[in-house]
Amino acid sequence: MMSEQRKRDRQADHYHLTVAETQALENSDSDIGMCGWLLVLFSILLTLLTLPISIWMCIKIVKEYERAIIFRLGRILRGGAKGPGLFFILPCTDSFINVDMRTITFDIPPQEVLTKDSVTVSVDGVVYYRVQNATLAVANITNADAATRLLAQTTLRNVLGTKNLAEILSDREEIAHSMQSTLDDATDDWGIKVERVEIKDVKLPMQLQRAMAAEAEAAREARAKVIAAEGEMNASRALKEASLVIAESPSALQLRYLQTLNTIAAEKNSTIIFPLPIDMMQSFLKR
């Protein structure tokens, strides 16, 4: 409980720091200085003098799934990301970058990992993420997509290095959840939200696959022998009970003879068998 509370407290502190950093970036256009304001006024005047031609250079459109980060003289414009829809820029002093806010999917290449019990496995996965804060994604990192891909590879290796082979094969959901939490915390400063991580495939060396197959086959054969032995034991007990019943009633043995004859006649009707009582044979042997 204490560790979960501390984790929530760290996440809350980190969230407040991220919000403060975003606000500082979005309010930075007030520091362009006197020369900067002169250039802005000159750009506005030039735009007014060249109307209506300049209006086509000032009006920009971003799609529903995009946001635009406007830079005025190299500083992020007050108000943060713009869009979706229409927005205006000054042709001489403003530039902008479009940021895609949709969920992005990429495959983690197969990683050769040495597990905790010294077994080499090849593991790959898939990551789903999206840009949560367009301002941080542009201002805090050069290429958020490439950085997230590289971080996902190293995180996969680090997480699997602390697990043994049995845990990797059985606890995929726990490993994926641990990777998602680690990636989400690491990419929060970049404005990235990791939504989901999945482990796709775990490839074992051929020698290890043969050894595991031989072990599984031996285990199956052992179970089959145990089941056969239990069946023989149950059958012997049933035969013992049947012999006791037949010993109490000699006529039951004759009925069993007739039932056996009926079964043989149904399968092989060209064969005739005459059962001889064992008592009769014993009388001939005594003579």
Side-chain angles (χ1 to χ4, degrees):
M1 294 297 293
M2 292 297 295
S3 60
E4 294 180 359
Q5 182 65 30
R6 291 174 183 172
K7 185 177 180 180
R8 286 195 293 267
D9 294 340
R10 287 197 300 268
Q11 290 177 350
D13 295 339
H14 190 273
Y15 172 76
H16 292 311
L17 290 174
T18 303
V19 172
E21 185 179 358
T22 304
Q23 292 176 353
L25 290 172
E26 293 175 354
N27 297 331
S28 62
D29 64 327
S30 59
D31 300 330
I32 59 177
M34 182 62 66
C35 183
W37 284 112
L38 290 176
L39 291 175
V40 171
L41 292 175
F42 176 76
S43 179
I44 295 174
L45 180 62
L46 184 62
T47 302
L48 294 176
L49 292 177
T50 56
L51 286 175
I53 298 175
S54 61
I55 193 67
W56 302 108
M57 302 175 63
C58 296
I59 297 178
K60 302 295 179 181
I61 301 174
V62 291
K63 299 180 179 63
E64 181 69 29
Y65 53 84
E66 293 179 336
R67 298 295 183 271
I69 306 299
I70 302 176
F71 292 88
R72 176 163 294 170
L73 297 177
R75 295 182 177 273
I76 296 178
L77 191 64
R78 183 186 298 272
K82 306 295 182 182
L86 291 172
F87 64 94
F88 296 88
I89 64 171
L90 296 177
C92 299
T93 60
D94 294 355
S95 62
F96 69 96
I97 299 176
N98 284 339
V99 180
D100 197 331
M101 306 294 288
R102 293 177 293 182
T103 298
I104 300 173
T105 306
F106 67 87
D107 293 328
I108 302 176
Q111 303 293 312
E112 295 286 341
V113 181
L114 184 65
T115 62
K116 190 176 181 180
D117 50 353
S118 301
V119 178
T120 302
V121 295
S122 178
V123 184
D124 58 354
V126 60
V127 177
Y128 302 84
Y129 79 94
R130 61 181 174 86
V131 177
Q132 188 176 21
N133 191 318
T135 303
L136 296 180
V138 172
N140 284 2
I141 192 166
T142 304
N143 190 333
D145 181 72
T148 304
R149 292 172 184 267
L150 293 176
L151 184 62
Q153 297 178 22
T154 57
T155 303
L156 177 62
R157 298 174 69 90
N158 294 335
V159 171
L160 295 181
T162 61
K163 306 289 184 180
N164 55 41
L165 181 60
E167 292 174 346
I168 293 175
L169 296 176
S170 60
D171 298 337
R172 292 192 179 186
E173 293 184 0
E174 181 181 353
I175 294 173
H177 181 72
S178 177
M179 283 188 59
Q180 178 185 354
S181 178
T182 303
L183 285 173
D184 198 17
D185 293 340
T187 58
D188 200 13
D189 292 335
W190 306 339
I192 301 297
K193 173 64 177 177
V194 179
E195 297 180 339
R196 190 178 182 88
V197 177
E198 292 291 341
I199 302 298
K200 291 174 60 177
D201 191 16
V202 178
K203 297 181 180 179
L204 304 177
M206 292 300 299
Q207 295 180 353
L208 182 59
Q209 291 183 16
R210 295 191 189 99
M212 294 178 66
E215 181 182 359
E217 184 177 0
R220 286 194 297 269
E221 290 179 356
R223 287 195 299 269
K225 291 180 179 179
V226 171
I227 294 173
E230 291 178 353
E232 291 290 339
M233 183 176 63
N234 294 332
S236 62
R237 288 176 179 174
L239 289 174
K240 179 182 178 182
E241 294 176 359
S243 64
L244 293 176
V245 173
I246 293 175
E248 294 176 357
S249 177
S251 60
L253 183 60
Q254 300 297 328
L255 293 176
R256 183 59 181 167
Y257 286 157
L258 294 176
Q259 185 179 4
T260 304
L261 283 175
N262 187 21
T263 304
I264 294 174
E267 295 179 355
K268 299 179 181 180
N269 49 16
S270 61
T271 303
I272 300 175
I273 298 176
F274 292 97
L276 293 177
I278 297 176
D279 297 338
M280 184 183 296
M281 296 299 295
Q282 289 181 351
S283 62
F284 283 107
L285 292 174
K286 289 180 180 179
R287 294 180 184 179

